[in-house]
Amino acid sequence: MPTQTSRTSHHLPRFEDAEPLGPQDAEFARDIKAVLEKHGNLDRFGLVLLHDHFSVDSDEVLVETNDPQARTLHVEVEKKAETKHARPSQWRFAADSGETPTAQSDSTPYEVLMLCLTLACEDR
């Protein structure tokens, strides 16, 4: 996932260094599952390992497209102001640092990491 280079408090570890979910996280996972169940979101949200492969500037966003026939996913960086892809598919919680969240409103405790759209085969 992206490192927002203009927000030093949000640096993420490289994938190779990120610690995956393990047995030591069982209680945490049960707690998250209970909250998702309580709000009817168990089949809507899950967990991802936040990590970085390369930097993504604060005016950029990762965009995921897919080709259902080829069964492939493609991720590219696009400028937020220029992207035509508008359906968020991944978020992360914003740090409580007094910064204004970059999500849909100032009151949301999360920010969009990735947008998603189906890529038609003829568009490739």
Side-chain angles (χ1 to χ4, degrees):
M1 297 298 96
T3 295
Q4 308 260 330
T5 56
S6 65
R7 305 171 94 190
T8 57
S9 63
H10 287 258
H11 284 292
L12 297 173
R14 294 205 38 83
F15 178 75
E16 298 81 8
D17 300 325
E19 184 180 348
L21 198 62
Q24 72 280 7
D25 300 305
E27 182 179 359
F28 158 76
R30 281 191 294 275
D31 290 348
I32 295 294
K33 180 182 176 192
V35 170
L36 291 172
E37 283 179 319
K38 174 183 174 184
H39 293 278
N41 286 319
L42 193 57
D43 292 329
R44 186 173 171 214
F45 296 109
L47 297 174
V48 298
L49 178 65
L50 295 178
H51 62 279
D52 189 11
H53 291 286
F54 46 81
S55 65
V56 177
D57 290 333
S58 62
D59 66 337
E60 298 174 322
V61 66
L62 291 174
V63 176
E64 175 187 12
T65 55
N66 69 79
D67 182 336
Q69 292 179 344
R71 297 173 59 185
T72 58
L73 296 174
H74 310 273
V75 176
E76 297 183 42
V77 176
E78 294 184 8
K79 293 291 186 184
K80 287 179 182 178
E82 298 170 9
T83 186
K84 293 180 174 84
H85 305 86
R87 187 164 196 181
S89 64
Q90 292 184 17
W91 306 260
R92 75 171 170 189
F93 294 109
D96 291 331
S97 62
E99 297 177 8
T100 302
T102 58
Q104 299 163 354
S105 76
D106 290 347
S107 63
T108 56
Y110 56 85
E111 58 189 343
V112 174
L113 288 179
M114 188 178 294
L115 305 173
C116 185
L117 185 72
T118 301
L119 176 67
C121 293
E122 57 271 7
D123 293 341
R124 292 183 65 188

